[in-house]
Amino acid sequence: MDSAQNYLNEASRVLEEIRTTQMDALHEAADICAHSIAGNGLVHLFGSGHSRMGVEEVFPRYGSFPGFHPIVELSLTYHNQVVGANGQRQAIFLERVEGLGKTILRNFVLKPPDSFMVFSNSGVNEVVVEVALEAKARNLPVIAVVSKEHCSASTARHSSGKRLIDLADVVLDNCVPAGDAMVRVEGHPDLIGPGSTVGVALLVNSLKCLVAEKLTQQNCPPIVLTSSYHIGSEASAARFDECFDDYRARVRRVYGATE
């Protein structure tokens, strides 16, 4: 069997493990998100490094809806400039600087019924732990999206001695093995083919479906970004405007705007 097939088999295993182990956690997380959104609050999303992809998978894109607030720092996530200015060495360094998470959140007005979803495969870098600590200090529930195996096996780096799984009200496990890469190529000593992006995409899109279901059951159905393929170009364009206007109204408070 070739290595591409091996990767697809591993991805299928991740899917099945999420299906069989994460449904209770997904429902708990969906209840938290639906409570925030139905109460005109926000589900804040934060991830550094490649975990920013999980943030962007939630909102905005087709099949998603307002109520989720992406927070991404380019200095922590701008990975296409591998070396030189804005290079990965700097991003990796900054992920481990205590005080940066607190400084980032100082820019926002955060209060109930808001909640937080923090993405990190390892769950131990200082910035993501500090963001979770700051959210908890503001009495906001925290949903962690991690590799539980990797996080559980890792030593805390933050001076609090906490890992993301130690702080979260709900842990969503991407079901990827510690170390992320999943495939052994014959003749090569290293594992290849990371799986966390696949696991996270499966988790957050399942979560969005559950949140939409719960909001609809509460008679506050979300405004969904919908492709022109389904509703036609004119209706799709109008839906985008409606969705972004709703998002703008929701985030005004978090940036300190009161009018």
Side-chain angles (χ1 to χ4, degrees):
M1 189 178 298
D2 67 25
S3 56
Q5 186 64 56
N6 286 340
Y7 182 85
L8 294 174
N9 288 342
E10 284 299 309
S12 296
R13 181 200 57 76
V14 169
L15 168 60
E16 190 55 32
E17 191 168 340
I18 288 173
R19 189 201 311 276
T20 56
T21 68
Q22 297 304 297
M23 291 311 302
D24 287 346
L26 280 165
H27 276 277
E28 290 178 38
D31 284 336
I32 290 171
C33 295
H35 176 75
S36 295
I37 296 171
N40 291 318
L42 291 163
V43 181
H44 304 286
L45 314 167
F46 182 84
S48 64
H50 285 96
S51 293
R52 74 169 289 175
M53 291 188 284
V55 172
E56 294 177 347
E57 186 68 20
V58 179
F59 183 84
R61 59 170 307 168
Y62 284 135
S64 64
F65 46 89
F68 296 98
H69 174 227
I71 301 174
V72 171
E73 285 285 313
L74 289 182
S75 61
L76 298 170
T77 61
Y78 197 60
H79 282 175
N80 62 308
Q81 197 90 347
V82 179
V83 297
N86 305 301
Q88 277 215 264
R89 287 188 181 90
Q90 297 94 302
I92 292 168
F93 176 84
L94 289 172
E95 282 186 305
R96 299 183 179 180
V97 173
E98 285 199 33
L100 182 54
K102 187 172 185 176
T103 300
I104 292 167
L105 294 194
R106 183 67 179 81
N107 291 290
F108 305 104
V109 179
L110 307 170
K111 61 183 180 181
D114 293 356
S115 53
F116 241 97
M117 190 179 307
V118 184
F119 295 80
S120 172
N121 193 60
S122 69
V124 294
N125 282 339
E126 286 82 344
V127 169
V128 291
V129 169
E130 194 162 82
V131 165
L133 283 166
E134 289 297 305
K136 298 296 289 184
R138 291 165 172 79
N139 296 314
L140 307 185
V142 171
I143 301 163
V145 186
V146 298
S147 164
K148 197 169 183 179
E149 180 180 312
H150 191 127
C151 192
S152 297
S154 299
T155 302
R157 290 178 177 152
H158 193 272
S159 61
S160 66
K162 301 294 186 182
R163 302 164 299 177
L164 201 48
I165 57 174
D166 302 321
L167 298 167
D169 296 276
V170 178
V171 175
L172 295 179
D173 183 6
N174 64 30
C175 296
V176 170
D180 203 354
M182 302 191 298
V183 171
R184 183 76 64 189
V185 173
E186 186 175 354
H188 197 286
D190 300 319
L191 288 166
I192 300 170
S196 58
T197 308
V198 172
V200 168
L202 291 168
L203 283 171
V204 298
N205 285 301
S206 300
L207 178 65
K208 277 189 288 188
C209 293
L210 276 175
V211 175
E213 178 183 329
K214 291 175 185 292
L215 289 171
T216 302
Q217 290 171 347
Q218 296 173 34
N219 295 315
C220 48
I223 303 166
V224 178
L225 289 169
T226 303
S227 169
S228 60
Y229 178 85
H230 295 295
I231 59 176
S233 297
E234 187 174 337
S236 179
R239 182 71 61 81
F240 267 66
D241 282 338
E242 184 183 8
C243 183
F244 293 152
D245 286 346
D246 183 88
Y247 177 79
R248 180 182 60 193
R250 287 176 180 272
V251 300
R252 283 178 67 84
R253 183 266 299 163
V254 82
Y255 289 100
T258 57
E259 296 180 0

